[in-house]
Amino acid sequence: MSKEKQKKFGKPKSFSKYSNSNLDPLQKTSLLSKIFGNQKKLDDARKSFFSSYKFESNINPLRLITFLLLISIFLGFGMFFIERSNEKIYTNWKYQGISSVPPSNISNFDQVIDFSKKENLSNCDSLDPKLLLEGICDIPLKYVDEMNSTQSRSQVLYIFQFLLMFILFFPLGTFFHRALRNIKTLKYETSISPEKSIVWIYFGIFLYFLAVFVSKFISKDFNISFAIVFLSFIFLSYRLYKIFIEIYKGSLLVKTDKSFSILTNKFKLWFVSYISIMFFNPSIITRFWAYNIGNVNDLADATKLMYYSSGVIILFCFFSVVLVAEIYKLQEIKNLKFGSITVDPLQ
């Protein structure tokens, strides 16, 4: 009876070749993993995660980061000239006596009629197709078309800039992860984990953007919504400071205990540009500094802030290139002068 139960509930022989606990009782392989061929990759990942590593050059991530940041700089110049042109258009509207902001499209034609009535533009007060063909709304439609074109040009570049920033996260993560690993190979003792540090940075960036986008939904009060963004900025800045202070301590040739003297002038310039872009980027401007646009004068002022923001983006990208290049050079020089060691994570 016991033999029959053992046969009935025992492990089928046909599956024994896919999973054999006698070979490695800690790693039981499922049939599905074997079919799709993922087990070998998992085994390699387990072995490589705790494997020893040596000094690695950051030249390839540096080249990619520099290339992408140069594109971002060109986009920043494009944003600057477009916003500058838009600001001139809105200023001309003021000189023409226009005070109300025209609608950006004609999907709701009642808004066009309302705009025409406010500004006393011709006799645009009807939706009759015959009257529209006679040109009763040509003048207000001209302003609507200009408003649509100015907004569309700006939005296209903002979208490209945002996508480029998202792409930059990957080579930047690789660069700083490798830089943190390299300081250990350069004989600098630290308890910081490169993997955890990068995860904390990504988490801080996520919190910042989440705070920017939801702060106005949480509260319309300026102080409360701005405090939410500011707290996320403090958290991200703290995480960045911890990473950079360790990288500079492990990369500089001269050892010092003074944190402020460890950070170079290039880093300080980058940090100033970092603070500027965190509180003066297009998302912050539209949600805080130019949130309520009631007339053309407000629109022109908001556009002026936008092309100032473009200048901040250009400076931030430039100093970012300078910063990563400096970190790369410091580590390469220290490696050439003092050599490096092999680091075993398990020791």
Side-chain angles (χ1 to χ4, degrees), residues 79-130:
M79 292 165 61
F80 176 84
F81 289 115
I82 286 176
E83 294 295 356
R84 181 73 172 173
S85 174
N86 292 346
E87 194 257 343
K88 290 180 179 179
I89 291 173
Y90 303 148
T91 303
N92 288 333
W93 289 356
K94 290 194 298 181
Y95 294 152
Q96 295 170 12
I98 302 297
S99 59
S100 303
V101 178
S104 58
N105 56 70
I106 59 173
S107 58
N108 188 353
F109 206 81
D110 290 336
Q111 294 180 352
V112 179
I113 295 175
D114 184 59
F115 168 71
S116 179
K117 289 179 178 179
K118 287 181 180 178
E119 302 300 329
N120 296 319
L121 299 174
S122 66
N123 296 317
C124 183
D125 56 359
S126 174
L127 295 174
D128 189 348
K130 292 182 179 180

Side-chain angles (χ1 to χ4, degrees), residues 119-152:
E119 302 300 329
N120 296 319
L121 299 174
S122 66
N123 296 317
C124 183
D125 56 359
S126 174
L127 295 174
D128 189 348
K130 292 182 179 180
L131 296 176
L132 292 176
L133 289 173
E134 292 176 1
I136 64 170
C137 292
D138 284 356
I139 296 177
L141 285 176
K142 179 182 72 107
Y143 289 103
V144 173
D145 182 63
E146 287 182 349
M147 185 67 179
N148 179 57
S149 62
T150 55
Q151 295 296 306
S152 298

